[in-house]
Amino acid sequence: MKRHLLLFLSYGVILTAAIAAGAPSGGAQSAPRQPAGFTGLWKGTLRVVPSPTLMDRSRLGAVNNITFTIIQDDSKISGHYTCSIGTQICRNGNADSSGKIVSGTASGNNIRFSVIVSGDVSNCQYTGFSQSPGQMRGGYSCYQGGGLIEQGNFEVARMGG
């Protein structure tokens, strides 16, 4: 009986020391993820989805290659945007191939920013999240003259990780 009690107490001391040292235990919760940090060059694609106000119906299902050059200063976001041919040319007869990120915010793994596209002076709103380091996905909606002209989804990866 003494032997079992001594063995039980020894295991209790070892377990307590392991928990205090930060060793994982079966019921331990994982540490919260660190904020993504969005600064960098992001490359990927956007895909146009159905919208009742889609101005150019031929763009339905279009895939374009895109890049975001994002600069994060605390929670503020700025930078540049480019679009290139994927399965179709970019909006506005390919005149909408670049833009400027004029405002945006980042909080944790979430990001929101606005791109002014110089070709047609449209404003595209992007909302995304980083599901894992160096990966981002989300949705976008483009407006012109107060009306929705295109919407879709995007998925990009940061170059260099």
Side-chain angles (χ1 to χ4, degrees), residues 8-128:
F8 178 75
L9 289 174
S10 296
Y11 283 130
V13 169
I14 292 169
L15 180 60
T16 302
I19 291 170
S25 66
Q29 301 247 345
S30 62
R33 286 183 17 169
Q34 293 298 315
F38 291 99
T39 294
L41 175 64
W42 298 79
K43 290 186 175 188
T45 58
L46 65 75
R47 178 178 301 274
V48 180
V49 298
S51 152
T53 59
L54 184 63
M55 294 190 60
D56 182 357
R57 296 270 178 217
S58 69
R59 289 204 32 87
L60 182 58
V63 175
N64 290 121
N65 298 314
I66 59 170
T67 63
F68 299 119
T69 303
I70 296 176
I71 302 163
Q72 181 177 353
D73 183 12
D74 290 324
S75 65
K76 294 181 182 177
I77 298 295
S78 61
H80 293 86
Y81 158 86
T82 64
C83 175
S84 62
I85 297 171
T87 61
Q88 291 188 25
I89 61 175
C90 300
R91 276 189 311 111
N92 196 21
N94 218 34
D96 291 347
S97 61
S98 66
K100 182 176 181 181
I101 299 173
V102 294
S103 64
T105 58
S107 177
N109 294 327
N110 299 305
I111 187 170
R112 296 178 68 95
F113 55 91
S114 177
V115 174
I116 298 295
V117 180
S118 55
D120 65 359
V121 195
S122 60
N123 183 342
C124 298
Q125 304 290 318
Y126 288 82
T127 302

Side-chain angles (χ1 to χ4, degrees), residues 111-160:
I111 187 170
R112 296 178 68 95
F113 55 91
S114 177
V115 174
I116 298 295
V117 180
S118 55
D120 65 359
V121 195
S122 60
N123 183 342
C124 298
Q125 304 290 318
Y126 288 82
T127 302
F129 69 99
S130 177
Q131 71 273 19
S132 61
Q135 301 291 316
M136 180 175 34
R137 70 171 64 173
Y140 75 96
S141 299
C142 294
Y143 301 88
Q144 185 180 46
L148 178 66
I149 59 171
E150 184 174 288
Q151 64 185 17
N153 302 307
F154 71 94
E155 190 165 339
V156 292
R158 183 175 23 225
M159 298 294 92

